[in-house]
Amino acid sequence: MGGVTATGVRATARIVARDDGRGGTALPVLEGDGPLALRRVRGSGAETRVMLVGAMSGPLGGDHFAVEADVERGARLRVGSAAATIALPGQAKGESRYDVRLGVAEGGELHWLPEQLISVHGSDLHVTTRVDLAASARLVLREEQVLGRAGEEPGRLTSRLTLRIAGRTVLDQELACGPGAPGGWDGPAVLAGHRAVGQLIVVRPEFTQEPPAARMLGESAALAPLAGPAVLVTAVAADGLRLRRVLDEALVSLG
């Protein structure tokens, strides 16, 4: 349940996707809360599509948002967002949080493709994304972060991404940027002066037998196979538009 407290807004949105037994996917649970509104939109074939629509600005300082999506056996779900998420400073003290929890059962498929997260000057946001997949599940996950609006210094942004397949952790990484982050985040070993950073995770059972080879994708992106049927593309760019282009090209290259 959501609400407003002295330390900010609390809100949770939940999605459950289920095979409807007729070649499609049903949504027995589609619950928005407070500033997190969910809308079902026109899908394609067996895939059901959901759009996350922000009903108000945020997250602001002290807010705690959460989104949970569970794809049951054989279901297919695609989730996007209507606009970028903008982390803003607020009157409440302390960092804001945005937690994403995703689960996909055997034979299920999830495309998690939200718009970009923009870290505004003066904000302090901690994002965690945790994904649990069954052995035969399929996933496309895109994560994009832009540090500051045009001509603006960023806020503080900490992002942790964890991926588990069949109970085994295959990826667990964290990146902190902006004021107060550990030194070197803007140096040549991390962002090298770029202001947009993104990741693309693709999980397909066939990668177990034929994993894509590790390679550079242009000057600012790299593809790396993970343990199990997964690959990770990491990219940096001067701005959000260029970052999206790089990640889209990477997904096309994977077929």
Side-chain angles (χ1 to χ4, degrees):
M1 298 294 294
V4 180
T5 71
T7 56
V9 175
R10 301 290 184 268
T12 300
R14 294 188 63 238
I15 307 168
V16 175
R18 180 175 297 162
D19 185 346
D20 66 5
R22 303 187 301 273
T25 297
L27 295 173
V29 177
L30 188 66
E31 299 175 348
D33 185 18
L36 300 175
L38 297 170
R39 300 286 185 267
R40 182 169 185 167
V41 297
R42 185 181 299 275
S44 176
E47 180 184 79
T48 289
R49 299 189 178 189
V50 172
M51 192 70 66
L52 180 62
V53 181
M56 59 186 285
S57 298
L60 305 175
D63 290 352
H64 188 172
F65 294 175
V67 181
E68 303 170 359
D70 288 297
V71 180
E72 297 183 357
R73 180 182 293 268
R76 297 180 61 188
L77 174 67
R78 178 183 294 259
V79 179
S81 57
T85 297
I86 303 177
L88 296 164
Q91 295 182 351
K93 300 296 183 182
E95 70 175 14
S96 52
R97 298 188 60 89
Y98 202 123
D99 297 326
V100 177
R101 304 289 181 267
L102 310 175
V104 187
E106 298 287 355
E109 182 170 350
L110 172 63
H111 288 229
W112 186 262
L113 303 169
E115 292 302 309
Q116 296 163 339
L117 168 63
I118 302 173
S119 173
V120 169
H121 180 66
S123 64
D124 185 359
L125 177 63
H126 191 107
V127 181
T128 60
T129 302
R130 297 180 183 174
V131 188
D132 278 282
L133 305 180
S136 62
R138 306 171 75 89
L139 173 74
V140 176
L141 180 148
R142 184 183 66 216
E143 181 178 85
E144 301 169 305
Q145 296 155 356
V146 179
L147 305 181
R149 293 169 293 194
E152 176 186 63
E153 290 299 310
R156 178 167 181 172
L157 176 62
T158 303
S159 176
R160 184 169 183 176
L161 175 59
T162 305
L163 172 66
R164 290 168 54 86
I165 302 177
R168 178 186 181 188
T169 300
V170 300
L171 177 69
D172 190 355
Q173 65 180 29
E174 183 173 287
L175 175 65
C177 304
W185 65 270
D186 202 20
V190 188
L191 297 188
H194 295 90
R195 282 296 178 264
V197 58
Q199 300 175 100
L200 178 72
I201 294 177
V202 180
V203 180
R204 297 174 182 162
E206 55 266 31
F207 286 167
T208 300
Q209 301 300 323
E210 298 182 8
R215 61 185 184 272
M216 292 297 298
L217 302 173
E219 297 181 355
S220 61
L223 182 151
L226 302 174
V231 297
L232 170 68
V233 176
T234 303
V236 294
D239 55 51
L241 288 175
R242 296 178 191 180
L243 177 66
R244 175 65 60 83
R245 187 181 307 122
V246 171
L247 294 179
D248 283 350
E249 290 173 353
L251 185 57
V252 170
S253 75
L254 289 168

